[in-house]
Structures are given as C-alpha cells and as structure tokens.
Amino acid sequence: MTVAPEKSDVDVPEGYVKLTIDGEEVVAPKGELLIRTAERLGTVIPRFCDHPLLDPAGACRQCLVEVEMNGRPMPKPQASCTMTVADGMVVKTQVTSEVADKAQQGVMELLLINHPLDCPICDKGGECPLQNQAMAHGRTDSRFVDKKRTFPKPLPISSQVLLDRERCVLCQRCTRFSDQIAGDPFIDLLERGAHQQIGTAETADVLDAASHTSESDSASAGKSASAGGQPFQSYFSGNTIQICPVGALTSAQYRFRSRPFDLVSTPSVCEHCSSGCAERTDFRRGKVMRKLAGDDPEVNEEWICDKGRFAFRYATAEQRIRRPQVRNAETGELEEASWTEALRAAADGLAKARDGKGVGVLPGGRVTLEDAYAYSKFARVALRTHDVDHRARAHSAEELDFLASRVAADGGPAGGGVTFADLEKAPIALCVALEPEEEAPAVFLRLRKGARANDVKVVHIGQWASPAVEKTFGELLACAPGGEAGAVDGIAQHAPDVDEALRSEGAVVLVGERAAEVPGLPTALHRLAERTGARLAWIPRRAGERGAVEAGTLPTLLPGGRPVTDADARSEVERHWGIEPGTLPAEPGRDVTGMLNAIVTRDLDGLLVGGVDLDDLPDPALARKAFDAAGFVVSLELLPSTVTPYADVVLPIAPVDEKSGTFVNWEGRRRPFTVTLDGTGALADSRVLDTLGVEMDADLFTQTADAARGDLDRLGAHEGTAPKGTSVALSATKVPPGASAEPPAPGDGQALLATWRQLIDDGSLQIDEPALAGTARRVVARMSRATADGLGDHVTVSTDRGSVTLPVEVTDLPDGVVWLPGNSPGSKLRATLGAGHGAVVDIAGGDR
Amino acid sequence: MGIFDPVKGFGVTFGMMFKKVATEEYPEIGAPAAPRYHGRHQLNRHPDGLEKCVGCELCAWACPADAIFVEGGDNTEEARYSPGERYGADYQINYLRCIGCGLCVEACPTRSLTMINFYELADDNRQDLIWTKEDLLAPLLPGMEQPPHPMRLGDDEQDYYVNGPELARGRGVPEQETVETDTEEAVR
Ligand code: SF4
Ligand code: SF4
Ligand code: SF4
Ligand code: SF4
Ligand code: FES
C-alpha cells in the first residue's frame, strides 16, 4: 500500500484534480481518463479497445492498473481506460506495481489462448499492437496446451473488408466506430463465450456452421455466399481496418502486398473531395501500396472515407498517358511524340488560334492551387483572354456572382470562415443542395459528431430522407428539385424554428455545388445569410474548386479574388506579372457554356483543356459538337478521356502522388502536400504550362509548385471592399423571390428529376478498384408510392436524348419527383439524358 | 648459419614429395563441400509439390544485407501455390549482396528457405546474380507436381504443417531423402 505524499506545493486550478501516478503527483483535468493522464507522464499502459475518438468501452481489460481511493486500495485492478481521474487517487501502473503487471500479463495470456499465431501470413504483422504488447507485457510462454478454437477464414464482410475471427481480440473498436462515428452499425458482436465473434447479418446466418472447426469449412463458405442480410456496406469501413488493433480486419486491396518495413510513408492530402483530408501514402518500389487516414484534428480527425483510402490505382492504370501525343495531320491519328515536338505543335496551334478568334481554357475542378494558378496566368498572359472556367459541371452566371462575392471574399479559417470545428459546435447547420455523405464525407462525419455530442441541429433542404439525413439525426425540409430557392426564401414562413435558430450565434449554412443548377438559389442563400446573419460555406464536390476560385480560373475573377472589371485590380495584376498595362481585357470572359457556344458559332478557335470529362458538362452533346468544331484542342490529361478523340495535342501530366502542390479545401484552408513518388518524370500541369508558355514567349514562373504558389502569394488577396460590384449584383436579385422558386410543373407521365452523385460510382478516379466498387450503394430510382404506382418493378426515365431503366425503390420523395444517381453504372444522367437536377423527364414502366 | 643448412632445406622439400597432397582438384573433380556447408538458398516444397514459402517476408526482414525481395500473393481456389491463404508471388535473392550469414534461414517460419551446398556463385554481369523464384525453387522429386494445384495432402494447411514427414513417405519421396536436401545428396 502506498501512502500519498503528505504535502505538496502543486497548485490545482479550477476544474482540475490532483492525483498520484507511480509515485508522481499529477494535475489532470476533471473527467480525463487515467490511461491518458499516464500517457502524458510518459507511461504507456497497454491497450486494445481504448481509442481517443471512441466512447470508452472497457472491453479488452488489457489496461489494468492498481488504484487506491481515499487511502483504500480497490479490491481488484481497474481498467484505466474507463476510469476517470479523481482527487487524491493513487494509481500504480505496471511500472511500479507487480499486481498490475501480473494482471496485464494474465490478460495477454488469455487473449492469446485462441489466437492463431498467424503472424507470418497476417497483414498486420510488423505493425501489430498485439505483437508489440505481447512482447512488452506478455508472458514468455503460454500454459495453454489444448486445441485452439478455430474459425473458417477469411470471411469477406464486404468486397473490401476481410474478417479473420481467430485473430479478433473482441475489443469492439470496429463496432463502436461503425455505430458511433459512421452510423452504419452493420457489424456487431455475435454469440457468447468462446464463440463470441464479430460479424454482420450475413455472417450471422452461417454462425452455426462457422462456429465449428475446419470440418464445416466448405459448407459454411458455400452458404455465406448465398446468405441474405446486409453486408458491411459503409462509406467508412476502411477506418475499421486501420483501427483494428490486430489483423482481424484486413483490406482486400492491400492483402499480402507488403510489410511495414518495405513501405516508405509520406504525408499526403486526399484528392477526391473538397474536404482535404490528411492521408498517409505508403509506397513500395515506386508503387503506391495503400493509403491510410492521417491524423489532423482540425480537418478529418483520424478518419477518411473509403474513396480516399482505396481509390488510387487510377494513377497506375494501364491506359495512363505517359508520352505526349500529336495528331498526325495526314492520318488523323494521335501519335506519340517527344516533348519538344509536342510542345512546339501545341504552342504553334494555340498561338495561331489565339491570333485568330481566341482560345478558351477549361482547367477542370481537380487542379491543385498551383496548377489552377498556372492555368489562370496562362490564359491571361499567353492567351490574353479571360475565357477560363474550371467549372466542369452545371454552372450559371448567378453562381459566378455568388463565388465572387461569397466564396472568393471569404478569408478561410483565418478570416472567420466556417471550419470543421464550427460544424461541431454550431446551433444549427442547414445543408442546402448538398448531400454531405456522398459529396464531402468528412463534413458528414463532423455533422454527425456534432449532432451526437453537442445536439447540433442538422437541417437538410433536399428531396428525401437520405441516409445522411438519418445519420445526422437531421430534419428534412423536402422540396421539389429546383424548388430549393423557394424553400430557402420561405424558411421564415414554414419553418420558423429553423429561421430562429439561424439567427443565433454560430449558425452555419452549407451549400453544395448543385446550387448552381437551381435558378435563384445562390441569390436566395445570399439573402438568407444577410437576413439571419448565419455564415455560409460553399462545399463543392471536387478537391480543386475552392483553390481554383482563389487562383482566378473564372471569367470574372483574377487571382486573389480580384474582379476582372475592377481597373485597379487589373493594373495591380499587370504590374505583378510584368505585362504591358492595359493588356488584360476589361470585360469578363465567357463561362464554360459560353465558350462551347462560341466555338460552335466560330467566335472562338481553340481550347486548352485540363481534367475535364465532357459527360460532366451540362450539355455533353453541345460539348461534343463544340470540340468537334474547335480549330485546335490541347488536352492535358492523365488518362484517355472523352476529350482525347478531339485533341490535337495530348500532354501527359502527373497524378497527385507524383507531384507536390496544395489543395484548398472547402474551408479555404490550404492543404499542402509533397511529392510521394519522386523522379517518375511526370510533370505537373503548372510545369507543362510554364514550358508551353516559354514556347509562346510568355513567362509564367510556375516551373515548380513552390514557384507558382510564391508568385500567387506575392500577389496576395484583393485589398479593400473587393467584390462589391458582384455582391450588389447578387442582392439586386435578377430573379425576384418567389418567381424563381417555381420549378416547372411536370405533366402526365412526367416527373421532375432530382439527382446527385454517389460517393462510389463511375468517377474517372475510381477505375481499377473492384473492391471499392463492390461497396457502392445500390443503383435505384427513387420515387414516392403515388408516383411509382402502376410502373412496376422498373422505371424507364427518358428525355429526347435517351433513357435510363432502373429498379424502383419507394422512398419519401414528394409526388411527381424521381431521384436517380448521377453517374453510377447504368445511370449516367448527363451522358444519356443530357439532363440534370430539376429537369422534367418522362417516366414509364420499364421492362426488365 | 651452418654449412649444412641449405642441404637441410632440400631435405624438407624432398621429404614433402612422399607425403599426401592436400590440394583439391577443383574444378576438375566437381565442387566439394562439407555436407552441412551453407551455399546458395533453396525454396523447398511440400511432398506434393506445393511451395512451402508463404511470402511472409520474414527472411527479407532478417537479412542484414537487404539481399532478399519478397512480395506475397493470395492463393485462390483456381490457382493454389502453397497450402493456406498466402504464397510468395515474387521472390528474389541478390547474390551480389548476400553475405551467406544464414539469418534468413533461421527466420523462415515454414522451413521453406534452406541453404544447399552449391556455392559457385560468380558471373560476369550483375543481372544474372539476382536469382528469382524459378531459380531458387527445389526441383520436383518423384511424387510432386508443379503448382498451381489443389492441396493433395489434406484439407487445410494445418495438415501439411503437422503431418509433413508422414505425408512425405505416403507420396513416395525416396527413403533417406528429405524434401529439403535433394541437391545436397546429389552433390555429395
Ligand atoms: S494479429 Fe498480430 S499477433 Fe495476431 S497473427 Fe496478426 S500480426 Fe500476429
Ligand atoms: S475485428 Fe478488430 S476492431 Fe473489431 S473487435 Fe475484433 S479486434 Fe477489435
Ligand atoms: S544468407 Fe544472410 S545475407 Fe544472405 S540472404 Fe540470407 S540473411 Fe541475407
Ligand atoms: S522463404 Fe520463408 S521467411 Fe521467406 S517469405 Fe518464404 S516463408 Fe517467409
Ligand atoms: S484498453 Fe482498457 S479495457 Fe481495453
């Protein structure tokens, strides 16, 4: 028994307690768990189930310590991961207490009784907490001589997660993650005693067979394939693989690929959405083997979505373009060429087109800040135009004003912009035209966390109670697609409580990129923010969009949010770039659709295109017509795309793993990353454009990402009350409230189309990932019972361009509305229907 | 120096002429080595020909000279190379680096990796000194068949690990010859 030191001169501030750990006095905040207080002292108590971001469970009992309260020792060692600190507590960890040490060794021995000692064939081997802690806190030998309990393995619980029940230590990290963080509790503890195991509804069906040993192997394997139930379909399932403290959950994609000592790890940033999650990229022999979630408490905490984790093999796809190609004038075929030759051809063609009717620039939304800046500068300096627009999606002039006044002028986290942390504490978060789980999964996780922990009221203005609405404990204000503007304007009337909440301190409104498709919505949101004082945050889908706004790849904006129409801003930029005063046109350029139309009408000759898929554009048919008509097309691409057949010169560029750069996430936070695979010879867009610029006698100074960013930063943000002009444009509503709110009325056999893209779909960065594709949500058409009435099992949704036939799922949509996924297998709406959110489509019973 | 010393010197020379010669006639009469000499590596097989290597990379981990490269692979029902889930899909030893220490052999959990007597590891180019799985795999003895093929000796890998020697006899691997030492025998 230890006696607490009698007197001490340590001051205990309010809200803190003083206790003794291993004879050392510590002051700890009330409510802190013992295991963490000890950690701050430098004593690591072994643990499996404890995870700082999950609720304490006390499931594994590995963290036992001796505790003494009020001078009386507790009868048994206590789990330090569930016990909070208290005044006068005396704790002895394995360092000073033989009892604690023996208890830990005992637990370890017990955990290893049925453990298969699979290390040589286990993916966790080499980075396994069980291995490490067994070495540090286990007995040297086991006294267990009987036959071990075995299970058939591995059991696929989804196409990307494999379960090995023999290795599981039943810590319940995976189930707690799925339940608490992701809200997808498909995975749970089943059975009791020695047969207790992790499983899904599907595996539960085969429990009987599975809980016996090898004799039943084949029988159960056969059965599990055919069993019903819900597999572990979660967009966040990869996190369970990462937090599983043993090799019980492994990744189908990374299976047996390498060992930790083979891997070189670099910190990186996810390129898939605008959340900008921190990642760790592990590569071996010049090839990326896996991506893991990085730890960034400000942004993604320790979680990432499965797309960010598993979709990276597009960069090593066989069809990747590795050498420049130039179209042979005689044969009309693209032929490989040297860089010198290709750049010469591109520069000549672009110069000729520029001196003719001009060249438009379409950088696409996946660019880094530096690459966007290079496109922006290339358009202005080398092509002498403002015809540049990165919005390879539905867009509108109204959105352009919105971006200029509300997004470009928002100073990011430093300037009081909405941050991830704000989502957690906001009294209300109103999501408009945004499906957070599908479009920005990290945002969804934060909203859910806030709703769980701090009662953040999450309100969605959308069409149906999607899983995200349910999992954020949200309230749905349903409206017809296209009716969002009216819904926003009418909040004060039909949802006074929401309106009230929006007026309170810290309220936020989150807007998705779909807002551009709804006439009047950006303006209505602007009005709402002005009226209630709620802060607006724009959460686009693609990683590069916010950075591109900052870099000025918009027809109305120069870098740093400077309006093109502002003479002072123009001359500032001209001075900085060292170009003749007055060279920058005073008039804004054309947007994407404007450029395409101009090509068709022969008012524009050439196009310089980055990562753009024609089927993402609002009108793919118009786009194809325009590209066909264009005099000269230069494509900077990683993989052959819908642009490639029209390109006169194709210049290969580097994927994110092979370049450095910065993404600017939706908060406006810079997310710099360094090169992972060095020396592959692949060049970033900024470098290619720089060299192309030299060929055209224009100096961009964007040879490296650092140089480009330095150049942009020296220019700085726009000073003064910059976007006043545009802000006025926004408030001087072009569309009077109410009028805009009326979506077109569908007639008989028609419906209004609601759509957004699912996280896991046919996106071009998801090719070559069968395991990931297996966890995509089912592709169905959703509509209300009344709308589905008489259609049968399948519905055919059509426009004059084409049709899509999908199984019907009755959902709580408003009548006369049909929802389809935007770009999933069998449902590529832009490409087949040429229609988007809010369009009127024909519906009929589909045969299949 | 005495007057007879030069003669004494000749005496030593003369005397040696009648003693047994220690010179090994290499390479004329082969490449002799002690029976347990550690020469090059060999990747052994189970008695039915399946590979013992599970691609665990422990040998690569143990190697102080970083001479070994391994990449694991997933056995499927259609293509099985070893009993169990995992096999060594890619296996290379760089004999420019190997220092013959044998730590890899000690690390191997399946006794897949052993060393045989063969030591003639010299060449005139670097490329040929990187030995691949095909070069290192033990030859097929009677009773063995070339993988991929299903497990012939049991239902799962346990049967292979637990009952290896009996199974070997059952397959008709010649008496006195363990599956791990064929070339050793041959060289001797
Ligand atoms: S979980 Fe850890 S201890 Fe268990 S087999 Fe895998 S590596 Fe070994
Ligand atoms: S599968 Fe892993 S995370 Fe889940 S309970 Fe078992 S050991 Fe814990
Ligand atoms: S013998 Fe030693 S140096 Fe050679 S491969 Fe084995 S461990 Fe490496
Ligand atoms: S030879 Fe042995 S140690 Fe090396 S990978 Fe194969 S099984 Fe593992
Ligand atoms: S870590 Fe404390 S019980 Fe598991």
Side-chain angles (χ1 to χ4, degrees), chain A residues 292-311:
Chain A
L292 298 175
D295 182 7
D296 190 336
E298 298 282 296
V299 179
N300 57 318
E301 305 197 288
E302 293 179 32
W303 320 123
I304 54 173
C305 72
D306 287 352
K307 182 153 131 187
R309 185 181 301 268
F310 295 124

PDB file of all heavy atoms in Angstrom, chain A residues 292-311:
ATOM      1  N   LEU A 292      -3.620   5.548 -45.896  1.00  0.00           N
ATOM      2  CA  LEU A 292      -4.224   5.478 -44.569  1.00  0.00           C
ATOM      3  C   LEU A 292      -4.676   6.878 -44.180  1.00  0.00           C
ATOM      4  O   LEU A 292      -4.199   7.863 -44.741  1.00  0.00           O
ATOM      5  CB  LEU A 292      -3.194   4.986 -43.547  1.00  0.00           C
ATOM      6  CG  LEU A 292      -2.617   3.589 -43.767  1.00  0.00           C
ATOM      7  CD1 LEU A 292      -1.539   3.308 -42.738  1.00  0.00           C
ATOM      8  CD2 LEU A 292      -3.710   2.554 -43.662  1.00  0.00           C
ATOM      9  N   ALA A 293      -5.568   6.930 -43.212  1.00  0.00           N
ATOM     10  CA  ALA A 293      -6.003   8.235 -42.727  1.00  0.00           C
ATOM     11  C   ALA A 293      -4.861   8.879 -41.960  1.00  0.00           C
ATOM     12  O   ALA A 293      -4.198   8.238 -41.152  1.00  0.00           O
ATOM     13  CB  ALA A 293      -7.214   8.066 -41.824  1.00  0.00           C
ATOM     14  N   GLY A 294      -4.619  10.134 -42.223  1.00  0.00           N
ATOM     15  CA  GLY A 294      -3.667  10.889 -41.427  1.00  0.00           C
ATOM     16  C   GLY A 294      -4.408  11.465 -40.235  1.00  0.00           C
ATOM     17  O   GLY A 294      -5.628  11.445 -40.175  1.00  0.00           O
ATOM     18  N   ASP A 295      -3.661  11.957 -39.277  1.00  0.00           N
ATOM     19  CA  ASP A 295      -4.277  12.485 -38.070  1.00  0.00           C
ATOM     20  C   ASP A 295      -4.232  14.008 -38.146  1.00  0.00           C
ATOM     21  O   ASP A 295      -3.181  14.609 -38.011  1.00  0.00           O
ATOM     22  CB  ASP A 295      -3.505  11.964 -36.844  1.00  0.00           C
ATOM     23  CG  ASP A 295      -4.125  12.446 -35.551  1.00  0.00           C
ATOM     24  OD1 ASP A 295      -5.200  13.064 -35.610  1.00  0.00           O
ATOM     25  OD2 ASP A 295      -3.534  12.204 -34.485  1.00  0.00           O
ATOM     26  N   ASP A 296      -5.377  14.604 -38.385  1.00  0.00           N
ATOM     27  CA  ASP A 296      -5.430  16.061 -38.398  1.00  0.00           C
ATOM     28  C   ASP A 296      -6.693  16.506 -37.663  1.00  0.00           C
ATOM     29  O   ASP A 296      -7.783  16.544 -38.227  1.00  0.00           O
ATOM     30  CB  ASP A 296      -5.449  16.581 -39.840  1.00  0.00           C
ATOM     31  CG  ASP A 296      -5.253  18.086 -39.876  1.00  0.00           C
ATOM     32  OD1 ASP A 296      -5.560  18.745 -38.862  1.00  0.00           O
ATOM     33  OD2 ASP A 296      -4.807  18.600 -40.905  1.00  0.00           O
ATOM     34  N   PRO A 297      -6.556  16.822 -36.377  1.00  0.00           N
ATOM     35  CA  PRO A 297      -7.732  17.122 -35.564  1.00  0.00           C
ATOM     36  C   PRO A 297      -8.565  18.268 -36.140  1.00  0.00           C
ATOM     37  O   PRO A 297      -9.766  18.338 -35.918  1.00  0.00           O
ATOM     38  CB  PRO A 297      -7.143  17.518 -34.207  1.00  0.00           C
ATOM     39  CG  PRO A 297      -5.744  17.030 -34.213  1.00  0.00           C
ATOM     40  CD  PRO A 297      -5.299  16.949 -35.629  1.00  0.00           C
ATOM     41  N   GLU A 298      -7.924  19.177 -36.868  1.00  0.00           N
ATOM     42  CA  GLU A 298      -8.645  20.325 -37.403  1.00  0.00           C
ATOM     43  C   GLU A 298      -9.532  19.940 -38.576  1.00  0.00           C
ATOM     44  O   GLU A 298     -10.478  20.637 -38.894  1.00  0.00           O
ATOM     45  CB  GLU A 298      -7.644  21.378 -37.921  1.00  0.00           C
ATOM     46  CG  GLU A 298      -6.734  21.928 -36.865  1.00  0.00           C
ATOM     47  CD  GLU A 298      -7.463  22.947 -36.029  1.00  0.00           C
ATOM     48  OE1 GLU A 298      -7.852  23.978 -36.591  1.00  0.00           O
ATOM     49  OE2 GLU A 298      -7.661  22.692 -34.826  1.00  0.00           O
ATOM     50  N   VAL A 299      -9.137  18.898 -39.288  1.00  0.00           N
ATOM     51  CA  VAL A 299      -9.853  18.591 -40.517  1.00  0.00           C
ATOM     52  C   VAL A 299     -10.580  17.252 -40.425  1.00  0.00           C
ATOM     53  O   VAL A 299     -11.777  17.201 -40.176  1.00  0.00           O
ATOM     54  CB  VAL A 299      -8.907  18.627 -41.727  1.00  0.00           C
ATOM     55  CG1 VAL A 299      -9.644  18.273 -42.999  1.00  0.00           C
ATOM     56  CG2 VAL A 299      -8.294  20.013 -41.851  1.00  0.00           C
ATOM     57  N   ASN A 300      -9.861  16.163 -40.609  1.00  0.00           N
ATOM     58  CA  ASN A 300     -10.551  14.874 -40.708  1.00  0.00           C
ATOM     59  C   ASN A 300     -10.405  14.047 -39.445  1.00  0.00           C
ATOM     60  O   ASN A 300     -10.787  12.887 -39.442  1.00  0.00           O
ATOM     61  CB  ASN A 300     -10.018  14.091 -41.903  1.00  0.00           C
ATOM     62  CG  ASN A 300      -8.530  13.876 -41.831  1.00  0.00           C
ATOM     63  OD1 ASN A 300      -7.786  14.776 -41.477  1.00  0.00           O
ATOM     64  ND2 ASN A 300      -8.083  12.673 -42.130  1.00  0.00           N
ATOM     65  N   GLU A 301      -9.839  14.626 -38.373  1.00  0.00           N
ATOM     66  CA  GLU A 301      -9.554  13.865 -37.171  1.00  0.00           C
ATOM     67  C   GLU A 301      -8.715  12.650 -37.580  1.00  0.00           C
ATOM     68  O   GLU A 301      -7.657  12.836 -38.141  1.00  0.00           O
ATOM     69  CB  GLU A 301     -10.847  13.493 -36.460  1.00  0.00           C
ATOM     70  CG  GLU A 301     -11.667  14.749 -36.173  1.00  0.00           C
ATOM     71  CD  GLU A 301     -12.736  14.567 -35.147  1.00  0.00           C
ATOM     72  OE1 GLU A 301     -13.729  13.903 -35.444  1.00  0.00           O
ATOM     73  OE2 GLU A 301     -12.572  15.100 -34.039  1.00  0.00           O
ATOM     74  N   GLU A 302      -9.198  11.416 -37.358  1.00  0.00           N
ATOM     75  CA  GLU A 302      -8.382  10.281 -37.810  1.00  0.00           C
ATOM     76  C   GLU A 302      -9.114   9.436 -38.823  1.00  0.00           C
ATOM     77  O   GLU A 302      -8.803   8.273 -39.015  1.00  0.00           O
ATOM     78  CB  GLU A 302      -7.986   9.404 -36.611  1.00  0.00           C
ATOM     79  CG  GLU A 302      -7.043  10.111 -35.675  1.00  0.00           C
ATOM     80  CD  GLU A 302      -6.659   9.261 -34.485  1.00  0.00           C
ATOM     81  OE1 GLU A 302      -6.575   8.034 -34.609  1.00  0.00           O
ATOM     82  OE2 GLU A 302      -6.447   9.834 -33.410  1.00  0.00           O
ATOM     83  N   TRP A 303     -10.131  10.015 -39.456  1.00  0.00           N
ATOM     84  CA  TRP A 303     -10.957   9.206 -40.349  1.00  0.00           C
ATOM     85  C   TRP A 303     -10.862   9.699 -41.786  1.00  0.00           C
ATOM     86  O   TRP A 303     -10.709  10.889 -42.025  1.00  0.00           O
ATOM     87  CB  TRP A 303     -12.421   9.249 -39.910  1.00  0.00           C
ATOM     88  CG  TRP A 303     -12.656   9.190 -38.439  1.00  0.00           C
ATOM     89  CD1 TRP A 303     -13.329  10.096 -37.681  1.00  0.00           C
ATOM     90  CD2 TRP A 303     -12.223   8.161 -37.528  1.00  0.00           C
ATOM     91  NE1 TRP A 303     -13.350   9.695 -36.369  1.00  0.00           N
ATOM     92  CE2 TRP A 303     -12.681   8.525 -36.241  1.00  0.00           C
ATOM     93  CE3 TRP A 303     -11.492   6.981 -37.668  1.00  0.00           C
ATOM     94  CZ2 TRP A 303     -12.434   7.745 -35.103  1.00  0.00           C
ATOM     95  CZ3 TRP A 303     -11.256   6.217 -36.538  1.00  0.00           C
ATOM     96  CH2 TRP A 303     -11.723   6.594 -35.278  1.00  0.00           C
ATOM     97  N   ILE A 304     -10.985   8.796 -42.713  1.00  0.00           N
ATOM     98  CA  ILE A 304     -11.202   9.180 -44.104  1.00  0.00           C
ATOM     99  C   ILE A 304     -12.256   8.241 -44.691  1.00  0.00           C
ATOM    100  O   ILE A 304     -12.562   7.203 -44.109  1.00  0.00           O
ATOM    101  CB  ILE A 304      -9.918   9.115 -44.967  1.00  0.00           C
ATOM    102  CG1 ILE A 304      -9.262   7.738 -44.885  1.00  0.00           C
ATOM    103  CG2 ILE A 304      -8.959  10.203 -44.598  1.00  0.00           C
ATOM    104  CD1 ILE A 304      -8.099   7.565 -45.833  1.00  0.00           C
ATOM    105  N   CYS A 305     -12.774   8.607 -45.839  1.00  0.00           N
ATOM    106  CA  CYS A 305     -13.789   7.754 -46.449  1.00  0.00           C
ATOM    107  C   CYS A 305     -13.098   6.696 -47.309  1.00  0.00           C
ATOM    108  O   CYS A 305     -11.908   6.770 -47.582  1.00  0.00           O
ATOM    109  CB  CYS A 305     -14.745   8.574 -47.294  1.00  0.00           C
ATOM    110  SG  CYS A 305     -14.004   9.167 -48.808  1.00  0.00           S
ATOM    111  N   ASP A 306     -13.855   5.719 -47.737  1.00  0.00           N
ATOM    112  CA  ASP A 306     -13.260   4.623 -48.497  1.00  0.00           C
ATOM    113  C   ASP A 306     -12.754   5.056 -49.866  1.00  0.00           C
ATOM    114  O   ASP A 306     -11.828   4.465 -50.404  1.00  0.00           O
ATOM    115  CB  ASP A 306     -14.288   3.501 -48.666  1.00  0.00           C
ATOM    116  CG  ASP A 306     -14.499   2.755 -47.363  1.00  0.00           C
ATOM    117  OD1 ASP A 306     -13.741   3.023 -46.413  1.00  0.00           O
ATOM    118  OD2 ASP A 306     -15.404   1.913 -47.289  1.00  0.00           O
ATOM    119  N   LYS A 307     -13.363   6.078 -50.421  1.00  0.00           N
ATOM    120  CA  LYS A 307     -12.880   6.539 -51.716  1.00  0.00           C
ATOM    121  C   LYS A 307     -11.471   7.100 -51.556  1.00  0.00           C
ATOM    122  O   LYS A 307     -10.572   6.783 -52.327  1.00  0.00           O
ATOM    123  CB  LYS A 307     -13.834   7.603 -52.265  1.00  0.00           C
ATOM    124  CG  LYS A 307     -13.456   8.127 -53.622  1.00  0.00           C
ATOM    125  CD  LYS A 307     -14.701   8.609 -54.337  1.00  0.00           C
ATOM    126  CE  LYS A 307     -14.551   9.987 -54.927  1.00  0.00           C
ATOM    127  NZ  LYS A 307     -15.806  10.491 -55.469  1.00  0.00           N
ATOM    128  N   GLY A 308     -11.282   7.907 -50.541  1.00  0.00           N
ATOM    129  CA  GLY A 308      -9.962   8.467 -50.294  1.00  0.00           C
ATOM    130  C   GLY A 308      -8.946   7.392 -49.973  1.00  0.00           C
ATOM    131  O   GLY A 308      -7.770   7.501 -50.297  1.00  0.00           O
ATOM    132  N   ARG A 309      -9.393   6.336 -49.327  1.00  0.00           N
ATOM    133  CA  ARG A 309      -8.473   5.286 -48.906  1.00  0.00           C
ATOM    134  C   ARG A 309      -8.145   4.317 -50.036  1.00  0.00           C
ATOM    135  O   ARG A 309      -6.997   3.894 -50.202  1.00  0.00           O
ATOM    136  CB  ARG A 309      -9.097   4.508 -47.743  1.00  0.00           C
ATOM    137  CG  ARG A 309      -8.206   3.451 -47.128  1.00  0.00           C
ATOM    138  CD  ARG A 309      -8.920   2.734 -46.003  1.00  0.00           C
ATOM    139  NE  ARG A 309      -9.332   3.635 -44.951  1.00  0.00           N
ATOM    140  CZ  ARG A 309      -8.595   3.909 -43.876  1.00  0.00           C
ATOM    141  NH1 ARG A 309      -7.447   3.317 -43.707  1.00  0.00           N
ATOM    142  NH2 ARG A 309      -9.034   4.757 -42.972  1.00  0.00           N
ATOM    143  N   PHE A 310      -9.152   3.960 -50.810  1.00  0.00           N
ATOM    144  CA  PHE A 310      -8.924   2.854 -51.747  1.00  0.00           C
ATOM    145  C   PHE A 310      -8.777   3.273 -53.207  1.00  0.00           C
ATOM    146  O   PHE A 310      -8.324   2.467 -54.015  1.00  0.00           O
ATOM    147  CB  PHE A 310     -10.065   1.840 -51.632  1.00  0.00           C
ATOM    148  CG  PHE A 310     -10.127   1.152 -50.295  1.00  0.00           C
ATOM    149  CD1 PHE A 310     -11.275   1.193 -49.526  1.00  0.00           C
ATOM    150  CD2 PHE A 310      -9.020   0.469 -49.809  1.00  0.00           C
ATOM    151  CE1 PHE A 310     -11.329   0.559 -48.290  1.00  0.00           C
ATOM    152  CE2 PHE A 310      -9.068  -0.168 -48.576  1.00  0.00           C
ATOM    153  CZ  PHE A 310     -10.224  -0.112 -47.812  1.00  0.00           C
ATOM    154  N   ALA A 311      -9.216   4.485 -53.554  1.00  0.00           N
ATOM    155  CA  ALA A 311      -9.163   4.839 -54.975  1.00  0.00           C
ATOM    156  C   ALA A 311      -7.851   5.550 -55.290  1.00  0.00           C
ATOM    157  O   ALA A 311      -7.745   6.760 -55.144  1.00  0.00           O
ATOM    158  CB  ALA A 311     -10.359   5.703 -55.352  1.00  0.00           C
TER     159      ALA A 311
END
